[in-house]
Amino acid sequence: MHLFRLLVPLVFVGLISPQVPDTKISAALAPLQTDTVKFDREYALEATMLGFFFKDGTRNPTLKANKGDRVRITITNGELMTHDIGLEKLGIKSKTIIEKGASTSITFKANQSDTYYCTVPGHRAAGMVGNFEVVEGNLTESVIAGQLPMKDGQPLNLNFESGTLKDWTASGDAFTNPLVSADPSPVHEKDMSIGFEGRYFLSSGGNVNYKLTGTLSSVPFKVTQPFAAFRVSGGALLDTRVEIVQASTNKVIYQITGQGRATLQPAVVELGTYLNQEIFIRIVDNETGVSQIPYIANDKWAHINFDNFLFYPTRPNFPNELKQKDIIILPPLDPVLNAGLSGIEAAKAMTPPKGFKVTLAAAEPDIIRPISFTIDSKGRLWVVEGHTYPVPAPEGQGRDRILILEDTDGNGTLDKRKVFAEGLNLVSGIEIGMGGVWLGAAPYLLFIPVDPKTDKPAGSPQKLLDGWGVQDTHEVLNNLRWGPDGWIYGTHGVFTHSNVGKPGATDAERKKINGGIWRFHPTTHEFEVYAEGSSNPWGIDFNDYGHPFITVCVIPHMYHVIQNARYQRQAGKHFNPFTYDDIKTIADHRHWLGERGPHAGNFRSAAAGGGHAHAGAMIYLGGDSWPKEYRNEIFMNNINGARLNVDHFERNGSGYVASHKSDFLAMNDSWSQWLNMKYDASGSVFAIDWYDKNQCHSANPDVHDKTLGRIFKITHENDKWVKVDLSKATDQELVDFQLHSNEWYVRQARTLLQERGPNKKVHKALKVILAKNPDETRKLRALWALHVTKGLSEKDLNDLLINNSEYVRSWAIQLLTENKTASPETMKQFVDLAKNDNSPLVRLYLAAAMNRLDASQRWDVVDALAQKSEDQGDHNIPLMVWYAAEPLAALDMKRALEIAERAKLPKILPYMIQRIAAIDTEESKKVLKDLNNKLGKLHHSPETHENLRLIEKALGKVDP
């Protein structure tokens, strides 16, 4: 028999970095100075994204100390990642460490229990959090002795101390020579501590022979005690596990995996229900760990370690018990059916739905590294070849080029090819219209005028904007697309930091963006950050009601984009420090499996959608030839999963919920990397494929293939190819196209009307549609076309504020504030809408519009919106109203606070308290003192208590 070891905290020397000034921390809780203090309790933890770990394997252990103890907690980085450790109540944190093996510490006196956690954004939510407890008496617990199961009067060899596999039966090759008698183990890496008892433990291959697979089963034996425990470590994988099996039924009654670490930990099994019945142990290793992705390393944790099964009369308590709830299990690797196919073979390998087919439209050497594309009014593809990516070339030495590709006979092949421009640098987005080509080419937004007779540049590239960052060259400005309002929209990632303005603009004239959606007007050349946040959006499109949506990576993938909104960020902080909270995903699902985070789910998540990385966004509005079930659904490519995901939108309150539909298409090819998809005049869809074995961004150009690229075409059996040239259409024909079932005609015609400019006959025809067409989407199309052709007056838009359609009323609000001003008459109607309109969508647009106006104009609308109790649970409105209300504090604190007190929306009052506290003047303190006295007389609900504490904190009466 063997006893499990007791937990012994380890001692490391670390660094101190208190983050809260001593003046704000009571003396009893002040951080300790290590040069003069000896420590009563020292704890050493390894920090990884999976959690904080003791050397004995305990994940996020409960750290204990007696009251008054002097404590030091040291973390050592177990990976190349940004980590730190902080205490929540005490308000201190260590310095940040990045390099693997780096260490840092916090020191303090144990006067109260607390929570320790990693303060890096997102890491606490990922699982880097544990408890610190102040307790009385002895901190360690004794462990009762266990007993080996017996059979035929003899103890079974379930601890392998015979040095053989006596009492076990093996299959496969993983358990041919599985017993190990050394620590460090010869089949594990030298820095790994196994920590086994006795002379032997068992491993199915360790980190050396992890590719081996097999099963090991014990002889059946009778359950004689209500509890059992054994020691286990190894891979946190479904197919590396220990099972306890009921012998009579072969039913698995308990199973557990390792947690991706080598140190053996005890797992406790409750067996009271099975007393006097026979069970057996089955140790399973069906995971080879072999990666089929060329640049993804094999998983050396594809093995299982086991030792020392014992019975116990009562439940044993082990300090380092391995509990199933603490294990973050990875699903099995997805099978990779193909890799490195030719273009023709790749098209044949795909599996579209019944009635659809995928054909190769173009491939290398005719198209190489297609990174962005658009379709012109003649149905031709304008495609950017991104030869410069990922490293920007010196000015004037770019290698990117733009091709014009055309299918001249309708057979699906892009048989005509022209080179429009060469020598471009780091082009990541393209759109065409208004007389030329618009290019995102950090650090510039470029415009190249086009000679329509020759399809050649009619002049040199014009630098319309500069200041776009290149810190992370796959997160630069991208996915240019015309919005229904006549602006060019684009997306931008969080790890690139841009300060955008016209060439020569001062810093004060520029706008910062490091994650979000922007827009640029083609004639006024005005630039705006439309909304901020998200991660690395590489796809944007608009639905039938003109609402934009983006697809993103790493964080939850789907967002309904609202003007002036602030969205969940993968990293970094919002520019406005008074944001306090941001708007989250509308998706009710995710496209990766497992709880280790999105990266770990890649290549293991085919059942959920394929993984976290998405590129492209296409809301299919391509006419009537495709089945109705696809209309207004959003398609996005799942890069790691090599498949087209589809989400379905349902209106919910002021916005939408996005639900997962079955994947539309599987490429069945691990090199496939579709970056965008767009439908054409026939309703068919073209898709560009970067095609590269490396699916991840790297600043090293040598990891990317430089010779491949494809364009595919998806057609339904009902699609009819048409040859088009809308540039030759009359003005009336362009107006009529606003009624077309295929949105391609609608958008192309609207842009052409915008380019041709104001026309009274066009305006008259569009106003007939707006007034008389019963379809809301057709009314909206007419409204947008009137706007881009300057056919609407303020009176026209004000009249639309009482339209029967909530969509028309909403868009009238947005268009009335395009110039960031609103007349007194318009504001009067806005106030009436805020008080009386029954549509949450209209109230959302009002909140968004207030964020565009001078703060002095917002008071009455914000006040009315904040009192709408029906919007308390809305996904968007409470925060959008807060973003509009926040600047009011700087104008009139007392009046702003009065609005917040009346507010029925959640968090408005506590946020306003914090906002006023940030002003930090005698006047702001007086306002808060008056509120404190007022609230002190009320019943102390949880909300009142929160508000009082915020006031006390602001006034310096309590510790943070």
Side-chain angles (χ1 to χ4, degrees):
M1 288 183 284
H2 300 277
L3 293 177
F4 289 103
R5 295 182 189 140
L6 299 180
L7 174 67
V8 180
L10 303 173
V11 179
F12 279 69
V13 177
L15 301 174
I16 309 169
S17 182
Q19 298 299 305
V20 179
D22 291 344
T23 57
K24 292 189 177 181
I25 303 175
S26 65
L29 293 178
L32 304 174
Q33 301 301 314
T34 55
D35 56 351
T36 60
V37 174
K38 294 183 178 180
F39 297 98
D40 302 296
R41 305 290 170 189
E42 297 209 36
Y43 290 102
L45 302 170
E46 181 186 12
T48 80
M49 277 294 288
L50 300 183
F52 294 103
F53 290 89
F54 267 146
K55 188 176 181 180
D56 67 1
T58 309
R59 177 175 179 262
N60 297 329
T62 297
L63 308 180
K64 298 180 179 181
N66 297 128
K67 192 174 181 65
D69 278 354
R70 293 157 294 187
V71 182
R72 174 161 59 190
I73 305 174
T74 299
I75 62 167
T76 300
N77 211 344
E79 59 195 1
L80 181 64
M81 182 69 73
T82 302
H83 292 311
D84 64 18
I85 187 169
L87 285 174
E88 187 171 60
K89 293 179 182 177
L90 189 54
I92 63 170
K93 76 179 187 71
S94 70
K95 78 170 187 178
T96 300
I97 52 177
I98 300 175
E99 299 298 326
K100 183 176 181 180
S103 296
T104 187
S105 301
I106 53 173
T107 62
F108 57 97
K109 185 174 288 187
N111 276 10
Q112 62 177 327
S113 297
D114 209 332
T115 299
Y116 68 88
Y117 66 104
C118 181
T119 74
V120 175
H123 287 197
R124 179 173 183 165
M128 297 186 69
V129 58
N131 293 323
F132 174 80
E133 292 184 359
V134 174
V135 298
E136 296 182 2
N138 190 2
L139 302 187
T140 60
E141 299 179 32
S142 60
V143 180
I144 61 174
Q147 180 180 8
L148 275 169
M150 307 285 286
K151 193 176 181 83
D152 300 328
Q154 298 295 320
L156 290 173
N157 181 39
L158 303 186
N159 57 4
F160 308 106
E161 291 306 289
S162 70
T164 69
L165 290 183
K166 177 180 176 291
D167 300 326
W168 297 84
T169 300
S171 63
D173 53 9
F175 299 100
T176 302
N177 187 27
L179 298 185
V180 183
S181 60
D183 194 358
S185 155
V187 294
H188 291 80
E189 293 167 9
K190 291 182 179 180
D191 61 348
M192 294 182 180
S193 173
I194 307 300
F196 65 97
E197 295 280 348
R199 295 178 296 165
Y200 298 97
F201 77 97
L202 176 136
S203 179
S204 67
N207 299 80
V208 173
N209 301 313
Y210 59 87
K211 295 179 183 179
L212 304 179
T213 61
T215 302
L216 185 67
S217 300
S218 74
V219 297
F221 54 91
K222 185 177 290 187
V223 177
T224 59
Q225 301 282 1
F227 294 92
F230 56 87
R231 308 184 85 180
V232 63
S233 66
L237 305 167
L238 287 177
D239 284 339
T240 57
R241 62 188 185 271
V242 177
E243 300 175 338
I244 307 300
V245 185
Q246 186 180 31
S248 62
T249 64
N250 208 36
K251 173 186 174 183
V252 176
I253 60 177
Y254 175 88
Q255 71 177 32
I256 195 168
T257 73
Q259 64 168 334
R261 303 180 75 83
T263 304
L264 289 162
Q265 293 178 254
V268 178
V269 189
E270 295 186 10
L271 293 171
T273 305
Y274 301 94
L275 281 171
N276 297 315
Q277 298 183 39
E278 287 202 329
I279 61 172
F280 67 91
I281 306 165
R282 184 159 58 208
I283 304 171
V284 179
D285 182 353
N286 287 332
E287 172 68 79
T288 67
V290 175
S291 169
Q292 300 180 69
I293 309 298
Y295 61 94
I296 299 295
N298 289 345
D299 188 348
K300 294 185 178 182
W301 287 109
H303 68 275
I304 189 82
N305 306 316
F306 177 90
D307 196 15
N308 210 32
F309 184 99
L310 301 172
F311 281 141
Y312 292 86
T314 60
R315 194 188 196 288
N317 294 312
F318 303 105
N320 65 331
E321 179 182 339
L322 181 60
K323 300 176 181 178
Q324 289 171 315
K325 67 180 180 64
D326 290 332
I327 303 173
I328 304 173
I329 298 176
L330 284 178
L333 283 165
D334 297 330
V336 175
L337 302 180
N338 300 288
L341 299 177
S342 70
I344 293 175
E345 291 171 334
K348 290 180 180 178
M350 298 178 196
T351 49
K354 183 179 180 180
F356 290 88
K357 67 178 180 179
V358 183
T359 56
L360 181 68
E364 65 277 346
D366 294 328
I367 183 72
I368 297 172
R369 307 186 95 190
I371 199 168
S372 187
F373 85 113
T374 191
I375 303 176
D376 70 8
S377 60
K378 298 178 182 179
R380 303 177 302 178
L381 277 64
W382 294 61
V383 187
V384 176
E385 289 188 330
H387 298 282
T388 310
Y389 174 86
V391 180
E395 187 86 13
Q397 298 181 34
R399 302 182 305 280
D400 298 347
R401 62 180 175 177
I402 299 171
L403 305 180
I404 306 173
L405 303 174
E406 183 178 3
D407 179 358
T408 61
D409 54 13
N411 69 353
T413 301
L414 296 168
D415 53 282
K416 188 174 181 180
R417 176 178 178 274
K418 297 179 181 179
V419 177
F420 171 73
E422 297 184 277
L424 301 166
N425 196 0
L426 201 67
V427 179
S428 52
I430 184 172
E431 188 55 280
I432 189 166
M434 299 296 290
V437 177
W438 309 80
L439 299 174
Y444 306 113
L445 177 70
L446 302 176
F447 176 75
I448 305 177
V450 176
D451 182 343
K453 296 179 180 179
T454 63
D455 290 326
K456 295 292 184 181
S460 300
Q462 302 170 20
K463 297 175 181 177
L464 302 178
L465 297 173
D466 63 15
W468 299 94
V470 292
Q471 292 88 351
D472 193 341
T473 55
H474 80 310
E475 299 210 359
V476 290
L477 71 165
N478 65 83
N479 275 276
L480 278 57
R481 187 183 285 270
W482 289 111
D485 50 11
W487 295 60
I488 290 179
Y489 284 71
T491 54
H492 189 290
V494 298
F495 293 111
T496 289
H497 306 279
S498 298
N499 193 23
V500 181
K502 296 177 182 179
T506 65
D507 190 64
E509 295 169 326
R510 293 177 176 272
K511 296 180 177 67
K512 296 182 184 297
I513 182 171
N514 61 357
I517 301 88
W518 54 271
R519 66 176 187 168
F520 180 81
H521 198 277
T523 56
T524 68
H525 289 188
E526 184 177 358
F527 170 78
E528 292 184 356
V529 176
Y530 189 81
E532 64 171 279
S534 80
S535 59
N536 181 23
W538 199 267
I540 182 171
D541 201 1
F542 298 82
N543 71 359
D544 241 348
Y545 303 100
H547 297 160
F549 296 82
I550 56 171
T551 58
V552 308
C553 302
V554 182
I555 63 175
H557 66 277
M558 183 61 61
Y559 296 85
H560 164 212
V561 181
I562 303 156
Q563 191 174 30
N564 305 304
R566 303 166 200 168
Y567 292 97
Q568 175 184 350
R569 298 178 61 92
Q570 180 189 353
K573 297 180 180 180
H574 294 284
F575 292 117
N576 186 318
F578 312 118
T579 298
Y580 300 137
D581 195 7
D582 46 29
I583 300 173
K584 306 304 188 287
T585 181
I586 62 169
D588 63 2
H589 63 289
R590 63 187 189 187
H591 291 148
W592 73 83
L593 295 173
E595 299 298 329
R596 288 199 198 178
H599 290 279
N602 291 336
F603 314 112
R604 298 176 179 272
S605 299
H612 80 260
H614 303 90
M618 178 187 72
I619 297 176
Y620 185 78
L621 296 169
D624 300 324
S625 61
W626 282 29
K628 290 182 179 179
E629 64 189 270
Y630 295 113
R631 187 170 183 87
N632 255 320
E633 310 288 59
I634 189 167
F635 292 67
M636 70 214 83
N637 182 44
N638 194 295
I639 292 179
N640 301 126
R643 62 193 59 234
L644 285 188
N645 299 142
V646 181
D647 276 6
H648 169 72
F649 298 132
E650 282 288 342
R651 272 293 305 276
N652 183 39
S654 70
Y656 297 84
V657 172
S659 300
H660 184 60
K661 293 187 68 173
S662 298
D663 295 333
F664 176 81
L665 169 74
M667 291 76 167
N668 302 311
D669 183 347
S670 67
W671 288 26
S672 169
Q673 292 188 50
W674 289 19
L675 297 185
N676 216 338
M677 308 76 60
K678 293 185 178 181
Y679 50 86
D680 67 2
S682 64
S684 301
V685 170
F686 282 101
I688 55 170
D689 188 347
W690 178 261
Y691 207 72
D692 191 343
K693 67 179 180 181
N694 176 40
Q695 296 178 354
C696 292
H697 167 74
S698 172
N700 177 6
D702 294 333
V703 305
H704 296 283
D705 193 289
K706 302 177 182 64
T707 63
L708 302 176
R710 286 87 191 266
I711 300 175
F712 295 101
K713 187 177 184 181
I714 306 172
T715 55
H716 187 266
E717 58 192 9
N718 294 333
D719 291 354
K720 303 295 183 185
W721 179 76
V722 290
K723 189 172 182 63
V724 292
D725 185 355
L726 268 59
S727 67
K728 296 179 180 178
T730 66
D731 290 346
Q732 184 58 50
E733 287 172 332
L734 295 179
V735 170
D736 293 340
F737 281 136
Q738 299 309 298
L739 302 175
H740 204 286
S741 62
N742 184 342
E743 181 82 5
W744 181 87
Y745 288 90
V746 180
R747 297 182 184 185
Q748 295 286 350
R750 183 168 59 238
T751 302
L752 287 168
L753 286 171
Q754 181 178 5
E755 184 176 340
R756 293 180 185 182
N759 183 310
K760 290 182 179 181
K761 291 183 179 180
V762 167
H763 294 163
K764 182 178 179 181
L766 289 170
K767 286 182 177 179
V768 171
I769 297 173
L770 176 58
K772 296 184 177 181
N773 195 292
D775 189 326
E776 288 178 295
T777 65
R778 273 49 180 176
K779 289 180 181 291
L780 289 172
R781 293 174 179 182
L783 176 63
W784 298 326
L786 281 164
H787 172 68
V788 303
T789 58
K790 301 180 180 179
L792 292 169
S793 66
E794 180 184 8
K795 183 182 184 305
D796 291 331
L797 290 170
N798 278 334
D799 289 344
L800 293 174
L801 294 176
I802 58 171
N803 191 275
N804 289 333
S805 168
E806 63 176 334
Y807 296 101
V808 172
R809 298 198 303 276
S810 300
W811 268 100
I813 293 167
Q814 177 165 327
L815 298 181
L816 277 163
T817 55
E818 272 286 80
N819 295 326
K820 301 182 181 180
T821 60
S823 70
E825 174 58 30
T826 296
M827 289 305 303
K828 182 180 178 181
Q829 289 192 252
F830 282 176
V831 173
D832 182 67
L833 288 171
K835 291 179 177 179
N836 301 312
D837 199 291
N838 61 6
S839 167
L841 182 66
V842 170
R843 295 194 291 273
L844 175 66
Y845 269 67
L846 284 169
M850 291 307 101
N851 280 277
R852 291 182 65 77
L853 300 182
D854 186 89
S856 63
Q857 289 188 278
R858 305 179 187 181
W859 289 101
D860 293 339
V861 173
V862 168
D863 192 6
L865 292 174
Q867 295 184 56
K868 290 291 182 180
S869 58
E870 57 265 49
D871 293 329
Q872 288 178 347
D874 191 83
H875 187 77
N876 307 304
I877 291 176
L879 285 176
M880 289 301 297
V881 171
W882 167 245
Y883 303 152
E886 170 269 313
L888 301 180
L891 299 184
D892 187 332
M893 287 178 280
K894 186 175 181 180
R895 186 178 176 187
L897 196 55
E898 289 171 351
I899 289 177
E901 287 184 80
R902 288 193 293 269
K904 302 296 192 300
L905 297 181
K907 294 295 186 180
I908 299 295
L909 181 53
Y911 287 167
M912 189 60 76
I913 291 171
Q914 295 174 72
R915 178 65 182 90
I916 292 173
I919 296 174
D920 196 23
T921 63
E922 290 303 316
E923 182 186 358
S924 70
K925 291 177 182 178
K926 183 181 184 306
V927 170
L928 293 178
K929 286 177 183 177
D930 291 343
L931 179 62
N932 187 68
N933 294 335
K934 185 175 180 180
L935 294 178
K937 298 175 183 178
L938 301 177
H939 172 69
H940 276 208
S941 65
E943 293 80 10
T944 303
H945 180 76
E946 177 192 3
N947 293 329
L948 285 169
R949 179 162 179 83
L950 287 170
I951 296 170
E952 291 171 351
K953 179 180 177 181
L955 298 176
K957 292 184 177 181
V958 297
D959 298 307

